[in-house]
Amino acid sequence: METGSTSMQCIQVQDLTQGLVHTDAYRGFAGFLGGEDGLFGKILHLIWNLGSPLCLTPEQGAVAVLYAATSPEIENEGYKGRYMLPFGHVTGKMSALASDNALSEQLWKFSKAVLEQVLG
């Protein structure tokens, strides 16, 4: 696929957050800072478990990602290049940088070069 082609113009990019999702991902962070059995790990574990009622479940967290990837509203409502919050809420307007055709062309060429280098 070359830049400027019809195929490239069909690519849409969304930036989103799935929110604070209660998973065991904090364990990697605790391990990085001394392990789960250390004082920091125990404090982090306690805070994480006390805060869990405020967090989304992993299934709820996946909804934002699935919505951005599959909802026809993304294309139909002009959400292209906008920041999405959980459950399909869209914020602000697309920035000038996000709509800059020269930058998108540079990004495409760079991404293609990286993939060719990595994948051969």
Side-chain angles (χ1 to χ4, degrees):
M1 182 183 325
E2 294 302 315
T3 56
S5 72
T6 305
S7 299
M8 184 183 154
Q9 293 174 14
C10 294
I11 295 174
Q12 291 194 31
V13 176
Q14 300 302 132
D15 187 13
L16 65 94
T17 179
Q18 66 270 25
L20 185 58
V21 180
H22 193 267
T23 68
D24 287 338
Y26 78 90
R27 289 185 175 169
F29 185 65
F32 178 72
L33 295 172
E36 286 184 66
D37 295 330
L39 179 61
F40 180 77
K42 289 179 182 178
I43 292 170
L44 186 59
H45 182 75
L46 176 66
I47 291 170
W48 191 239
N49 284 328
L50 289 174
S52 66
L54 304 173
C55 299
L56 299 173
T57 66
E59 292 79 9
Q60 290 170 320
V63 169
V65 178
L66 291 172
Y67 177 81
T70 63
S71 175
E73 290 177 1
I74 299 300
E75 191 170 344
N76 297 340
E77 301 295 326
Y79 292 172
K80 180 179 179 181
R82 295 179 55 199
Y83 187 69
M84 298 183 67
L85 299 170
F87 311 116
H89 297 284
V90 179
T91 63
K93 296 192 180 226
M94 184 167 46
S95 74
L97 291 174
S99 58
D100 185 319
N101 287 333
L103 281 177
S104 67
E105 191 132 345
Q106 281 182 295
L107 177 60
W108 179 258
K109 288 178 181 178
F110 174 77
S111 300
K112 186 177 175 185
V114 169
L115 286 172
E116 287 172 347
Q117 184 178 21
V118 171
L119 300 176

